[in-house]
Amino acid sequence: DAMVIQNPRYQVTQFGKPVTLSCSQTLNHNVMYWYQQKSSQAPKLLFHYYDKDFNNEADTPDNFQSRRPNTSFCFLDIRSPGLGDAAMYLCATSGRGLAGVAHFGPGTRLTVL
Amino acid sequence: GQNIDQPTEMTATEGAIVQINCTYQTSGFNGLFWYQQHAGEAPTFLSYNVLDGLEEKGRFSSFLSRSKGYSYLLLKELQMKDSASYLCAVRALPYGGATNKLIFGTGTLLAVQP
C-alpha cells in the first residue's frame, strides 16, 4: 500500500547530541511537511517542501534543518537538541491539485535526556 | 498571519450528535480540512471543504462558510471510539509566498461518555 513511513518510531538522544529523523513516501507526492507536536498541543509546522523548494516557517529555530534529496525522502536534522525539543515529529505529504489532502506518517517520538 | 480557533474540550453522550466549531482568519485561503487524532497516534483525514456548504461522509459532515471564516464538524451517532482530538487545518497561500501550507488549529478534545 502507498504510504508515509517514518523512522525510527522512537528516538532517544542526549542533550546537545545531533539527531536525524527520516521520512519516506511511496505516494509520489510533491509536497512534504514536517510538524512538531508537543503533548496536548496541535501540530506546529516547522517547514515544508514543494518539490525541491524549501519553505521555512519564520519561527522555526535555526537548530532545525531539513533535507530532501529526492521526491521520496525527507530528513529532519536537529543539530543540538534541547530538553524543549522533546516532542512527536510528524511527517506529512500531499499531492498536486486542489484537494491535496495531507497524509501523515506514524510520527517519531523524540526523547531528550 | 493566520489564526485558527477551536474549543479546547467538549463532552458528549454516546449515540448523540456533536458539533465542533472552527473559526479562522487567513489570507490566501485554499481549503479547510478536519482530522481526527487519537492519543499517541498520527492525525487521520476526515473531511475537506474548499467551497461553501456541507460535505457529508457517513457519520461525519463538515460545513464551511468562507465569508464568515467558519467551519464545523458534525459527528452523528457518537460512539465511544470517537473520543479523540479533532483538528481543524487551513491550507493557505501566504501573502508573498510561493506555495500553499497547511496550518493546524488548537484542536478540540472530545470525550464521549456512556
Side-chain angles (χ1 to χ4, degrees), chain A residues 11-19 80-83 110-113:
Chain A
Q11 175 74 58
V12 180
T13 191
Q14 292 180 330
F15 183 94
K17 185 174 181 181
V19 67
S80 181
L83 298 179
L110 178 68
T111 300
V112 182
L113 302 177

Side-chain angles (χ1 to χ4, degrees), chain A residues 5 15 22 30 50 58 70 85 95-98 102 107:
Chain A
I5 302 161
F15 183 94
S22 74
N30 59 319
Y50 189 97
N70 54 51
D85 297 328
R96 300 183 191 277
L98 196 57

Side-chain angles (χ1 to χ4, degrees), chain B residues 29-109:
Chain B
F29 176 83
N30 215 348
L32 188 140
F33 299 78
W34 284 96
Y35 284 82
Q36 180 192 62
Q37 187 177 29
H38 285 100
E41 299 180 10
T44 55
F45 170 72
L46 289 177
S47 189
Y48 163 75
N49 297 74
V50 66
L51 300 175
D52 291 350
L54 189 69
E55 293 286 338
E56 297 188 76
K57 286 180 68 174
R59 293 191 300 116
F60 298 89
S61 304
S62 59
F63 171 84
L64 175 67
S65 169
R66 288 172 296 169
S67 62
K68 296 181 179 177
Y70 168 69
S71 174
Y72 67 73
L73 179 70
L74 197 69
L75 291 79
K76 304 174 192 173
E77 302 169 17
L78 280 173
Q79 302 174 10
M80 298 298 289
K81 67 178 182 179
D82 296 330
S83 294
S85 283
Y86 290 86
L87 303 167
C88 167
V90 171
R91 186 175 64 201
L93 182 63
Y95 178 77
T99 66
N100 284 301
K101 59 182 183 180
L102 188 65
I103 302 295
F104 282 84
T106 49
T108 299
L109 183 61

